[in-house]
Amino acid sequence: MAQRQRIGWPLGVAVGVLAALAGCTPTPTVTGPPPSPATSESPPETVPDFSFSVAPPPSSPPATAAVIYGCDSQPVVRPATFLLLCGDAGEALVDLAWSDWGQTSASATGRIVVKSCTPDCADGASIPYVATVTVTGLFGGGYTKMHISAPRAPVPAQDFAIETDGPRVLTRLPTGY
């Protein structure tokens, strides 16, 4: 009997230490026959038994909505439309359908609408072209770069910096447009 108690307690302590290292919370419970009345000659017979509850893995923080800033300096999430040329509204993205928003890079398909300026910009028609849009440079909850590919548009590829006051043209290919 004494041998069993000497082995049981060190084993219980070892199990408790291992459980703590594994992130478990030991909950000691005593099992066995009901204790007999204690006498001065023999202690009550108890054998510790450890049950464990495993703590759930830490939950990831809730995803914050990534944004891009429009010409009005207001943050927008997954915009369906987005004005590109703030000065004259000569180009805008419309009918955007986004994927992977909030990830390192997000893409959209839609159309870029371009003023033709024929016969002049005030009276010219707005012409839509199929476009693919990619935003990258996620920093501080906002995308900082935008690339537009519209192979049939007068400017088939464009890059923008997205700042807090809206988009700013970086490159337009072909150059000179």
Side-chain angles (χ1 to χ4, degrees):
M1 178 65 76
Q3 180 71 17
R4 185 173 178 193
Q5 286 179 332
R6 273 187 260 134
I7 293 173
W9 284 106
L11 180 61
V13 170
V15 170
V17 169
L18 289 174
L21 291 174
C24 300
T25 306
T27 308
T29 57
V30 178
T31 60
S36 58
T39 65
S40 59
E41 298 169 7
S42 64
E45 187 175 325
T46 60
V47 178
D49 179 29
F50 289 89
S51 300
F52 298 95
S53 62
V54 178
S59 61
S60 57
T64 57
V67 300
I68 57 176
Y69 288 87
C71 290
D72 59 358
S73 299
Q74 295 300 307
V76 291
V77 176
R78 293 182 187 254
T81 62
F82 190 76
L83 188 60
L84 293 169
L85 300 180
C86 299
D88 66 359
E91 291 183 10
L93 297 168
V94 298
D95 302 325
L96 296 175
W98 292 95
S99 63
D100 298 323
W101 190 267
Q103 301 299 313
T104 304
S105 151
S107 299
T109 56
R111 296 180 293 148
I112 185 169
V113 178
V114 181
K115 279 189 183 179
S116 72
C117 291
T118 303
D120 57 58
C121 291
D123 297 320
S126 293
I127 303 168
Y129 300 92
V130 173
T132 302
V133 180
T134 304
V135 290
T136 58
L138 186 58
F139 179 78
Y143 289 108
T144 59
K145 298 176 184 174
M146 177 183 286
H147 176 77
I148 302 167
S149 175
R152 299 199 181 270
V155 180
Q158 300 183 61
D159 290 302
F160 291 83
I162 305 296
E163 300 171 349
T164 56
D165 59 349
R168 182 175 50 89
V169 176
L170 293 176
T171 60
R172 294 169 62 102
L173 301 175
T175 57
Y177 178 78

